[in-house]
Every structure is written in structure tokens, then in C-alpha cells.
Amino acid sequence: MSSIAVSSDHAGFALKQHLADVLRDLGHEVLDLGAHSADRVDYPDFGEAVGRAVAGGDADLGVCVCGSGLGIAMAANKVPGVRAAPVHDVTSARLTRQHNDCNVLCLGERLIGAAVAVDAVRAWLDAEFEGGRHEGRVAKLDALGE
Ligand code: RB5
């Protein structure tokens, strides 16, 4: 089981709450970094919070939700050591763990339903980084943020 930091803006709040419940039910420790209501907020603050938690070792992995999954991924990716990917299907979620060693999964509440989001998160958690030919590429990604 992992320690997983979660966050959202207002547009991702309901899905973030649902995913946090699902993650707890799966036995993971959930670190909820907000938002704590559907009041309007700015997604960069919440992508940054999860990014810093993961990069700093307070959490193993992160899950972020905004309206599209795009802005909050951009914010998380500004934190060195974070490899955040916006995904809206199960295959992308699995591949971004296997090939990119994605450590922050980002989803768009306005783009996909809760069932697909849950399946994507589960596929990402169940997948493993394949290493091998992907090792050097991921090292190059991380070097870009140094
Ligand atoms: C908020 O309206 C929306 O712009 C935000 O949730 C996200 O989709 C940005 O990328």
C-alpha cells in the first residue's frame, strides 16, 4: 500500500473526494491537500501542493483533479522530480506508469465520468515501471527539471 497525496481545484472537487474514498477503501493512506470545498480556487496552488508532497517524500504518489486535468498537471510538473500526466483513459494511465514512471496522475472531472477515472487510477496503481530502455529517458526527463 502507498501513501497518496490528492488535490483538486473547485472543478475537480467532487471527483477528488470520490477518488480519495476509493483509495482509502483500497487500503492506501490518503493525504488530502485540498481543496476542501467547491468554492472557486486556483489550480496551480493545488498542483504545486501535491507536487511538493511527492517530490519531498511526504507521499509516494499523487492524484490531482481539475476541470480538464491539464492545468493542474502543468503546475505539478513545475516541481522538480515530478512526472505528472493528464490521462482520460485506462490505457494512457497504465502506459504512463510503465514507460514514464508517472508519479502524479491527473484527471479532468469535466471530461470523464467517475467510473473511468476510478478504472484509470486503479490501472496506474496496478502497473509497474518497466525500466530497461525507459530508464535513460526518464532520467532525461528528471534532468530537465534540475
Ligand atoms: C477551472 O475553470 C478550469 O480552468 C480548471 O479546472 C482546469 O480545467 C484548468 O486547466
Side-chain angles (χ1 to χ4, degrees):
M1 294 303 111
S2 301
S3 161
I4 303 178
V6 301
S7 75
S8 72
D9 69 354
H10 54 290
F13 177 69
L15 180 57
K16 185 264 290 179
Q17 295 297 99
H18 181 60
L19 292 174
D21 288 341
V22 168
L23 291 169
R24 286 189 197 96
D25 287 347
L26 290 171
H28 299 288
E29 181 189 343
V30 173
L31 178 63
D32 188 346
L33 299 176
H36 298 297
S37 79
D39 292 347
R40 191 172 300 174
V41 290
D42 297 330
Y43 61 81
D45 300 330
F46 296 91
E48 177 190 2
V50 161
R52 292 202 186 283
V54 171
D58 292 336
D60 302 316
L61 298 167
V63 173
C64 293
V65 189
C66 67
S68 63
L70 302 175
I72 207 161
M74 291 179 189
N77 270 323
K78 292 287 186 182
V79 180
V82 169
R83 293 177 302 280
V87 304
H88 299 107
D89 64 274
V90 170
T91 305
S92 302
R94 174 174 50 77
L95 281 172
T96 201
R97 189 86 184 270
Q98 291 174 328
H99 290 196
N100 317 123
D101 202 14
C102 168
N103 52 13
V104 177
L105 197 75
C106 302
L107 302 131
E109 179 176 335
R110 291 175 177 165
L111 302 188
I112 58 171
V116 173
V118 169
D119 285 352
V121 169
R122 293 191 70 152
W124 173 70
L125 288 171
D126 289 345
E128 290 182 13
F129 179 51
E130 290 179 353
R133 70 187 192 280
H134 304 296
E135 291 272 7
R137 296 161 184 168
V138 168
K140 286 186 176 184
L141 281 180
D142 288 344
L144 288 171
E146 289 172 356

